[in-house]
Amino acid sequence: MISAGTTAAAADDRRYVLSLGCPDSTGIVARISEFLSDLGGWIVEAAYHADPNSGWFFTRQAIRASSVDLSAYELRERFAEVAAELGPETEWTLHDSGTPKRIVLVVSKDGHCLHDLLGRAAQGELPAQITAVIGNHRDLEPVVRAHGIAFHHVPFPKAGTDPEARAAAFAEVRDLVDAHDPHAVVLARFMQVLPAELCEHWAGRAINIHHSFLPSFAGARPYHQAFARGVKLIGATCHYVTADLDAGPIIEQDVTRIDHTYTTRDMVRQGRDIEKLVLARGLRWHLEDRVLVHDHKTVVFS
Amino acid sequence: MISAGTTAAAADDRRYVLSLGCPDSTGIVARISEFLSDLGGWIVEAAYHADPNSGWFFTRQAIRASSVDLSAYELRERFAEVAAELGPETEWTLHDSGTPKRIVLVVSKDGHCLHDLLGRAAQGELPAQITAVIGNHRDLEPVVRAHGIAFHHVPFPKAGTDPEARAAAFAEVRDLVDAHDPHAVVLARFMQVLPAELCEHWAGRAINIHHSFLPSFAGARPYHQAFARGVKLIGATCHYVTADLDAGPIIEQDVTRIDHTYTTRDMVRQGRDIEKLVLARGLRWHLEDRVLVHDHKTVVFS
Amino acid sequence: MISAGTTAAAADDRRYVLSLGCPDSTGIVARISEFLSDLGGWIVEAAYHADPNSGWFFTRQAIRASSVDLSAYELRERFAEVAAELGPETEWTLHDSGTPKRIVLVVSKDGHCLHDLLGRAAQGELPAQITAVIGNHRDLEPVVRAHGIAFHHVPFPKAGTDPEARAAAFAEVRDLVDAHDPHAVVLARFMQVLPAELCEHWAGRAINIHHSFLPSFAGARPYHQAFARGVKLIGATCHYVTADLDAGPIIEQDVTRIDHTYTTRDMVRQGRDIEKLVLARGLRWHLEDRVLVHDHKTVVFS
Amino acid sequence: MISAGTTAAAADDRRYVLSLGCPDSTGIVARISEFLSDLGGWIVEAAYHADPNSGWFFTRQAIRASSVDLSAYELRERFAEVAAELGPETEWTLHDSGTPKRIVLVVSKDGHCLHDLLGRAAQGELPAQITAVIGNHRDLEPVVRAHGIAFHHVPFPKAGTDPEARAAAFAEVRDLVDAHDPHAVVLARFMQVLPAELCEHWAGRAINIHHSFLPSFAGARPYHQAFARGVKLIGATCHYVTADLDAGPIIEQDVTRIDHTYTTRDMVRQGRDIEKLVLARGLRWHLEDRVLVHDHKTVVFS
């Protein structure tokens, strides 16, 4: 096993993280901060966003766990009353950073995102543990095992062939993933289109990295599309997976400059660096409860 | 006169903007939000920062003016009591965005930052009026007058010569500036080192744009220094002016890529674009009360 | 008049600039460099590109004019023989940087690109003179005249109404532009779709700035499209105008980061800075013969 | 062993790469291109730079190996005559991309650059083989061995203590490195200052990654220095190692944006991403003979 890492925050860094979205109205900030203040809660991070378009309010607050005399469970019970006052549409989570989250990665042959995330995990940089990797090829199995992580091989028939075998393979992936009840299912260049029901089943937890600056060049072979159009920058997009291909809520995007000398092979090479960065950032924000989804768009309290 | 511009926000966009810094403790967010909530204040923007190093707390909140039944004057009077509770070190301002702020620019011969700011003012992009421009040369007078803005010419003897005449020139600049009681005194490539007493007099209001990524290449001819060192990026820094040359609190910085083909003349040309952007961003944030200074560093709620 | 500027290069900087594209084969570099060497030509810049996809070869070379004992006219006559050897498809230009080029700008109401280019011209930063500005509104006339540049007002009926009057307006614009025989016709946020025959007539000279990172968000209201999709970066694209709307060869693109707090109005404001930069860079490269078009894509020797 | 990788270029991609610097004069391009043309050499990449400051000329040319009927050895022999004509100061190399280069990495405890380079090597992305890793701690040994690469542990006494033991440790590192005769000795966050004689011995081959945007924050704890100054961007610099600490010729630099919320720990985490990218880019350019050093500065034909 390569490295233990420190995936959970150190004790003095332990935080309760509240993320909430609800219809906007006067007094929400006051209500929440009064609640926390009454418990002696020491707020170490607080972010707010009122969206004039949707009329929704969003907040994320991180409280030093040691400042309140309650377990996360008790705090959740208490806060539920506040949330109820904010209306029935209110959505919220309250996470204890001392309880590490779990990630399952789904990969194919291309290893750059996998190598990158394994390296970050080994450095203790991810606020979660990679509990398993599932691949439709065995190419990446050795490096995964070298990191002391389970690897499951699920072969897939080619897209467009043998729909029953494909359905069975997806069912096996689903079961393997669900066995870990992960907070994030990361399609790290998996290259297979998930069936709609899996998108639905993992809604809000399945994260994809697409190798273009969406909405440009959705679908197959985006670098070839970029080459054909003659763009001067290429990019990558980290987004939640929905049944609508490459159209889910965008978490993070970035670009890198290219020029006329770049072949598609050069783009593939240079694009990897952006894919790795964009996925790593988006995944970290997701795991730290910094991403709130509403109306098919994200609020990211990065 | 080139353009009227709309320097004050439209009526429905009018906001009361509160900026505050104080020693951190539990309950500050609750205290302020309760105060605003009791007045029916509709918070459209709220940002918080607790600095674990200095132990200080910072916030900026923008309230829709029409949501509270008070003038800015009255709101200030009421809020003073809250501020007092937060301790004697507390510093705060409360600005009415309906009252346009004033800028005085001080320039020399190089016009790119001046052209840029005049263009932005003409577009109604600056949350302030440029009320006067002072130059130690007459080169830029025509364009200033074309925009319907007063230009004052104050000739300066060369640095290192005739200290009395220089002191008199600085005194004249000081009087011309102070006549407008500006919220920002912008040294838009003025190229003269302000005497310590002027730095002190305009503390927190005098803004400089330095053509390097500080702390690299402080002082004279930064592009020549950059050329000599062979750096691969050049930059610009917008900072508050202090008696310590190019060492004041940094508001904003940015860089642009160069390569071995760049002569210093090329750097000067390309650097201008970064200088303009960095100054424009830093100045806007300053005018919108997004910049709080503590311990020689800035908190920027951009 | 605001400023004379120095639009033509200083005498010792005068260069002959050769740009050439032809089918690739062995020995082209040798043939051209031998030709220049025999004349004693001092090459100060040389760039080459062999495109394996199209099988074309491209080069741009800048020769110190004083190093060869020929006028640009004579050099062109001599070089024509070399070009002929490279095949009938060969396309080339040879420009004397001592002969300033001409730009005509076509604008509407939005002035940021115009202000920016006027400022650059006043600084002597553009390798060309702005000889006229044509606008379908009078809003920007004063600033243009303040710079000592002719402004022509050509009113346009709304798109979709009165096709004859629109055709007449376009004909008038065409005549006004053509009277200057410009090297660049810049649509600086003109907001009117050129008729196909005008695109054809100004092919390779008409340059547009589109306020999105194409191919995303072509057509109308790109910032509104970007807002709806929830992208995390917005951009701008400088391209040659073709009859295919927003699909011409891309000269330059860039992006700027936004987040969930940006309204479309914020995007419009911040996007302007990218539009200005991208247009200014693309225009300069075009005027310096750094942009070669082949197969609907550009080679940019920046 | 994790992955074989393809470190040498595929047969049809095999190139002879010529890099050359010499005093500038008329006719150099013609001389070299005539030489290559006479051999039937198909130039797939060609870059030139004439530096008006130093009066030097630089070029890099990549020729399809299959287009010339000579081995790299023979081509070198022939080209030596051309080089001789260009003067005694001329420096040049001619590398056969079919002969893989060798890298030795020297590390300490911090593994991000190591993980990154191992991942790139496993992907076949580096134009070289990592033949050994030397560490003054054993922390990174397992991951190195998992990739099938030799790891040598050389303990170092603390800086400032036991100079003899330190000298012995450096001597051991030197021998271990030299046994591989590597084209690049990469200090991948080694954190020990090399003695002057080792800098000299590995001149032009020893590459360091420094975690600041030099010349700012040279020396120890650059992120702490950056925090203290309150800069708005942090960076990394890849440079050749010289006896002058952090002052060697810069190969590549880049930066990433931070803000007032960043602790030094946050900077360390985010800075890693820039360190990895900057080192990977600089190392690749070095290995592809794209970096020419003259007068303490680099020409990078990237």
Side-chain angles (χ1 to χ4, degrees):
Chain A
M1 198 174 122
I2 283 167
S3 164
T6 313
T7 48
D12 54 328
D13 283 339
R14 205 175 130 217
R15 297 177 179 189
Y16 293 147
V17 177
L18 171 70
S19 289
L20 178 146
C22 66
D24 201 3
S25 67
T26 309
I28 302 177
V29 178
R31 186 69 193 86
I32 296 174
S33 53
E34 185 191 25
F35 168 80
L36 293 173
S37 176
D38 286 352
L39 296 170
W42 183 280
I43 301 173
V44 287
E45 271 188 85
Y48 299 87
H49 175 57
D51 183 338
N53 266 63
S54 64
W56 269 58
F57 170 88
F58 306 90
T59 186
R60 178 187 182 273
Q61 313 211 15
I63 303 109
R64 186 165 293 150
S66 60
S67 71
V68 294
D69 205 18
L70 296 172
S71 71
Y73 179 84
E74 291 164 330
L75 191 57
R76 263 183 226 113
E77 285 221 314
R78 296 266 196 107
F79 186 75
E81 293 166 40
V82 178
E85 294 171 27
L86 302 177
E89 290 179 278
T90 302
E91 292 181 8
W92 62 282
T93 61
L94 197 153
H95 180 72
D96 177 351
S97 76
T99 306
K101 292 190 171 181
R102 293 172 302 282
I103 307 170
V104 173
L105 304 179
V106 190
V107 303
S108 184
K109 287 177 168 184
D110 237 337
H112 54 284
C113 286
L114 177 73
H115 282 113
D116 184 69
L117 291 177
L118 290 174
R120 290 176 194 272
Q123 298 258 129
E125 200 179 289
L126 291 181
Q129 284 174 331
I130 300 174
T131 52
V133 177
I134 297 164
N136 62 341
H137 291 277
R138 289 200 176 277
D139 304 53
L140 300 171
E141 180 166 3
V143 69
V144 173
R145 294 204 182 278
H147 279 260
I149 296 170
F151 182 92
H152 306 288
H153 178 223
V154 181
F156 267 71
K158 265 204 173 166
T161 70
D162 200 346
E164 275 176 43
R166 280 182 67 81
F170 274 119
E172 188 179 349
V173 169
R174 174 179 172 150
D175 289 346
L176 286 165
V177 167
D178 286 356
H180 296 276
D181 190 21
H183 299 79
V185 184
V186 180
L187 309 184
R189 299 297 307 270
F190 178 45
M191 311 304 283
Q192 304 287 333
V193 179
L194 290 199
E197 67 87 19
L198 259 188
C199 299
E200 181 66 27
H201 177 62
W202 290 330
R205 290 186 295 152
I207 291 175
N208 186 45
I209 179 73
H210 182 76
H211 39 313
S212 85
F213 180 60
L214 290 172
S216 286
F217 313 136
R221 293 162 67 88
Y223 292 127
H224 289 78
Q225 296 182 54
F227 181 85
R229 181 60 186 95
V231 290
K232 300 302 183 187
L233 304 164
I234 53 173
T237 303
C238 175
H239 63 93
Y240 288 112
V241 177
T242 61
D244 216 354
L245 184 65
D246 297 331
I250 294 170
I251 305 172
E252 171 64 342
Q253 304 186 287
D254 214 338
V255 296
T256 183
R257 187 162 284 273
I258 59 168
D259 63 33
H260 57 269
T261 66
Y262 279 67
T263 61
T264 50
R265 202 166 66 173
D266 295 327
M267 290 185 194
V268 166
R269 178 182 47 68
Q270 182 156 324
R272 281 183 199 136
D273 286 342
I274 289 297
E275 294 167 39
K276 291 186 287 188
L277 283 176
V278 165
L279 175 57
R281 286 202 290 255
L283 178 59
R284 185 165 60 80
W285 293 337
H286 168 81
L287 292 167
E288 293 179 351
D289 300 308
R290 296 182 183 278
V291 188
L292 290 81
V293 179
H294 189 77
D295 263 2
H296 213 64
K297 292 168 65 173
T298 60
V299 170
V300 181
F301 292 124
S302 63
Chain B
M1 196 175 125
I2 285 169
S3 166
T6 313
T7 50
D12 54 330
D13 284 337
R14 206 175 130 218
R15 299 177 178 190
Y16 293 145
V17 177
L18 170 70
S19 289
L20 177 146
C22 67
D24 201 2
S25 68
T26 309
I28 303 178
V29 178
R31 185 68 195 87
I32 295 175
S33 52
E34 185 191 26
F35 168 81
L36 293 173
S37 176
D38 287 352
L39 295 170
W42 183 280
I43 301 172
V44 287
E45 271 188 86
Y48 299 87
H49 175 56
D51 184 340
N53 265 64
S54 64
W56 269 57
F57 170 89
F58 306 90
T59 186
R60 177 186 183 272
Q61 314 210 17
I63 303 111
R64 186 164 294 150
S66 60
S67 70
V68 295
D69 205 19
L70 295 172
S71 71
Y73 180 83
E74 292 164 329
L75 191 57
R76 262 182 227 113
E77 286 220 313
R78 296 268 196 106
F79 186 75
E81 293 166 38
V82 178
E85 295 169 26
L86 302 178
E89 290 178 278
T90 302
E91 292 180 8
W92 62 281
T93 61
L94 198 154
H95 180 71
D96 178 350
S97 75
T99 306
K101 293 188 169 181
R102 294 171 302 282
I103 307 169
V104 173
L105 303 178
V106 190
V107 302
S108 183
K109 287 177 167 184
D110 237 336
H112 55 285
C113 285
L114 177 74
H115 281 114
D116 184 69
L117 292 176
L118 291 174
R120 290 175 195 272
Q123 296 258 129
E125 201 179 290
L126 291 180
Q129 286 174 331
I130 300 172
T131 53
V133 178
I134 298 163
N136 63 341
H137 292 277
R138 289 199 176 274
D139 304 54
L140 299 171
E141 179 165 4
V143 69
V144 173
R145 294 204 182 279
H147 280 259
I149 296 170
F151 182 93
H152 306 287
H153 179 223
V154 181
F156 268 69
K158 266 204 173 165
T161 70
D162 200 346
E164 275 177 44
R166 280 183 65 81
F170 275 118
E172 188 179 349
V173 170
R174 175 180 171 148
D175 289 347
L176 286 165
V177 167
D178 287 356
H180 296 276
D181 189 21
H183 299 79
V185 185
V186 180
L187 309 184
R189 300 295 307 273
F190 178 46
M191 312 303 284
Q192 304 286 333
V193 178
L194 291 200
E197 68 86 18
L198 257 188
C199 298
E200 182 66 28
H201 176 62
W202 290 329
R205 290 186 295 152
I207 291 175
N208 186 44
I209 178 75
H210 182 75
H211 40 314
S212 85
F213 180 61
L214 290 172
S216 286
F217 313 136
R221 293 164 66 89
Y223 291 127
H224 289 77
Q225 295 182 54
F227 181 85
R229 181 61 185 94
V231 291
K232 300 301 183 187
L233 303 164
I234 52 173
T237 303
C238 175
H239 63 92
Y240 288 111
V241 178
T242 61
D244 216 353
L245 184 64
D246 297 331
I250 293 170
I251 305 172
E252 171 63 342
Q253 304 185 288
D254 214 338
V255 296
T256 183
R257 187 161 283 273
I258 59 168
D259 62 33
H260 56 268
T261 66
Y262 279 67
T263 61
T264 51
R265 202 167 64 173
D266 295 326
M267 290 186 195
V268 166
R269 178 183 45 71
Q270 183 157 323
R272 279 181 201 137
D273 285 341
I274 289 296
E275 294 169 38
K276 291 186 287 189
L277 283 176
V278 166
L279 175 57
R281 286 203 290 254
L283 177 59
R284 185 165 61 81
W285 293 336
H286 168 80
L287 292 167
E288 293 179 352
D289 300 308
R290 297 181 183 278
V291 188
L292 289 83
V293 179
H294 188 76
D295 261 2
H296 212 63
K297 291 168 65 174
T298 60
V299 169
V300 180
F301 291 124
S302 61
Chain C
M1 195 174 123
I2 285 167
S3 166
T6 312
T7 49
D12 54 329
D13 284 337
R14 205 176 130 218
R15 298 177 178 190
Y16 293 147
V17 177
L18 170 69
S19 289
L20 177 146
C22 68
D24 200 3
S25 68
T26 310
I28 302 177
V29 177
R31 185 70 195 86
I32 296 175
S33 53
E34 184 191 27
F35 168 81
L36 293 173
S37 177
D38 287 351
L39 296 170
W42 184 280
I43 301 172
V44 287
E45 270 188 86
Y48 299 88
H49 175 56
D51 184 338
N53 265 61
S54 64
W56 269 57
F57 170 88
F58 307 90
T59 187
R60 177 185 182 274
Q61 313 211 16
I63 304 110
R64 185 165 294 149
S66 60
S67 70
V68 294
D69 205 18
L70 296 171
S71 71
Y73 179 84
E74 291 164 328
L75 190 58
R76 261 182 228 115
E77 286 221 313
R78 296 266 197 108
F79 187 76
E81 293 166 39
V82 178
E85 295 170 26
L86 302 178
E89 291 179 277
T90 302
E91 292 181 9
W92 62 281
T93 60
L94 197 154
H95 181 71
D96 178 351
S97 76
T99 307
K101 292 188 170 182
R102 295 170 302 281
I103 307 170
V104 174
L105 304 179
V106 191
V107 302
S108 183
K109 287 177 168 184
D110 235 337
H112 55 284
C113 286
L114 177 74
H115 281 113
D116 184 68
L117 292 176
L118 291 174
R120 290 175 195 272
Q123 297 259 129
E125 200 180 290
L126 290 181
Q129 284 173 334
I130 299 172
T131 52
V133 177
I134 298 163
N136 64 340
H137 291 277
R138 289 200 176 276
D139 304 53
L140 300 171
E141 180 165 4
V143 69
V144 173
R145 295 204 182 280
H147 280 260
I149 296 170
F151 182 92
H152 306 288
H153 178 223
V154 181
F156 268 70
K158 268 203 172 165
T161 70
D162 200 346
E164 275 176 44
R166 280 181 68 79
F170 275 118
E172 188 179 350
V173 170
R174 175 178 171 149
D175 289 347
L176 286 165
V177 168
D178 286 357
H180 295 276
D181 189 22
H183 299 78
V185 185
V186 180
L187 308 185
R189 300 296 308 270
F190 178 44
M191 311 303 285
Q192 304 286 333
V193 179
L194 291 199
E197 68 87 18
L198 257 187
C199 298
E200 182 66 28
H201 177 62
W202 289 329
R205 291 187 293 153
I207 290 174
N208 186 45
I209 178 74
H210 181 75
H211 39 314
S212 85
F213 180 60
L214 290 172
S216 287
F217 313 135
R221 295 164 65 89
Y223 292 127
H224 289 77
Q225 295 182 54
F227 181 84
R229 181 61 186 93
V231 292
K232 300 301 184 186
L233 304 164
I234 53 172
T237 303
C238 174
H239 64 92
Y240 288 112
V241 177
T242 62
D244 216 355
L245 183 65
D246 295 331
I250 294 170
I251 305 172
E252 170 65 340
Q253 304 185 289
D254 215 338
V255 296
T256 183
R257 189 162 282 273
I258 59 167
D259 63 33
H260 57 267
T261 66
Y262 279 67
T263 61
T264 51
R265 201 166 67 173
D266 295 326
M267 291 185 193
V268 166
R269 177 181 47 68
Q270 183 156 324
R272 279 182 201 137
D273 285 342
I274 289 295
E275 294 168 39
K276 290 186 289 188
L277 283 176
V278 165
L279 175 57
R281 287 203 290 255
L283 178 58
R284 184 165 60 80
W285 293 337
H286 168 80
L287 292 167
E288 292 179 352
D289 300 308
R290 296 181 183 278
V291 188
L292 289 82
V293 179
H294 187 75
D295 262 3
H296 212 66
K297 292 168 65 174
T298 60
V299 169
V300 180
F301 292 124
S302 62
Chain D
M1 196 173 122
I2 284 168
S3 165
T6 312
T7 49
D12 54 327
D13 283 338
R14 205 175 130 219
R15 299 177 178 191
Y16 294 147
V17 177
L18 171 70
S19 289
L20 178 146
C22 67
D24 201 4
S25 68
T26 309
I28 302 177
V29 177
R31 187 67 194 87
I32 296 174
S33 52
E34 185 190 25
F35 168 81
L36 293 173
S37 176
D38 287 351
L39 296 170
W42 184 280
I43 301 172
V44 288
E45 272 189 84
Y48 299 88
H49 175 57
D51 184 339
N53 266 64
S54 64
W56 268 57
F57 169 88
F58 307 90
T59 186
R60 177 186 183 273
Q61 314 211 14
I63 303 109
R64 185 166 294 151
S66 60
S67 70
V68 295
D69 204 18
L70 296 171
S71 71
Y73 180 84
E74 291 164 330
L75 191 57
R76 262 182 226 113
E77 285 221 313
R78 296 265 196 107
F79 187 75
E81 293 166 38
V82 179
E85 293 171 28
L86 302 177
E89 290 178 278
T90 302
E91 292 180 8
W92 62 281
T93 61
L94 197 152
H95 180 71
D96 178 350
S97 75
T99 306
K101 293 188 170 180
R102 294 171 303 281
I103 308 170
V104 173
L105 303 179
V106 190
V107 303
S108 183
K109 287 177 169 184
D110 236 337
H112 55 284
C113 286
L114 176 74
H115 281 113
D116 184 69
L117 292 176
L118 290 175
R120 290 175 194 271
Q123 298 259 128
E125 201 180 289
L126 291 180
Q129 286 174 332
I130 300 173
T131 53
V133 177
I134 298 163
N136 63 342
H137 292 277
R138 289 200 176 275
D139 305 52
L140 300 171
E141 181 166 2
V143 70
V144 173
R145 294 203 183 279
H147 280 259
I149 296 170
F151 182 92
H152 306 287
H153 179 224
V154 181
F156 268 70
K158 267 205 172 165
T161 71
D162 200 346
E164 275 176 45
R166 281 182 66 80
F170 275 119
E172 188 181 348
V173 169
R174 174 178 173 150
D175 290 346
L176 285 165
V177 167
D178 286 358
H180 296 276
D181 189 22
H183 299 78
V185 185
V186 180
L187 309 184
R189 301 296 307 272
F190 179 45
M191 312 302 286
Q192 304 286 333
V193 179
L194 291 198
E197 68 86 18
L198 257 188
C199 299
E200 182 65 29
H201 177 62
W202 290 329
R205 291 187 294 153
I207 291 175
N208 186 44
I209 178 72
H210 182 76
H211 40 312
S212 85
F213 181 61
L214 292 171
S216 287
F217 313 135
R221 295 165 63 91
Y223 291 128
H224 289 78
Q225 296 182 54
F227 181 85
R229 181 59 184 95
V231 291
K232 300 301 183 186
L233 303 163
I234 53 173
T237 303
C238 174
H239 63 92
Y240 288 111
V241 177
T242 62
D244 217 354
L245 183 64
D246 297 330
I250 293 170
I251 305 172
E252 171 63 343
Q253 304 185 289
D254 214 337
V255 296
T256 183
R257 187 160 284 272
I258 58 167
D259 63 33
H260 57 268
T261 66
Y262 279 67
T263 61
T264 51
R265 203 166 65 172
D266 295 326
M267 290 185 195
V268 166
R269 178 181 47 70
Q270 183 157 324
R272 281 182 199 137
D273 285 342
I274 288 296
E275 294 168 39
K276 291 186 287 188
L277 283 176
V278 165
L279 175 57
R281 285 202 291 255
L283 177 59
R284 185 165 61 81
W285 294 337
H286 169 80
L287 292 168
E288 293 179 350
D289 300 308
R290 297 181 182 280
V291 188
L292 290 82
V293 179
H294 189 76
D295 263 3
H296 213 64
K297 291 168 65 173
T298 60
V299 169
V300 180
F301 292 124
S302 62

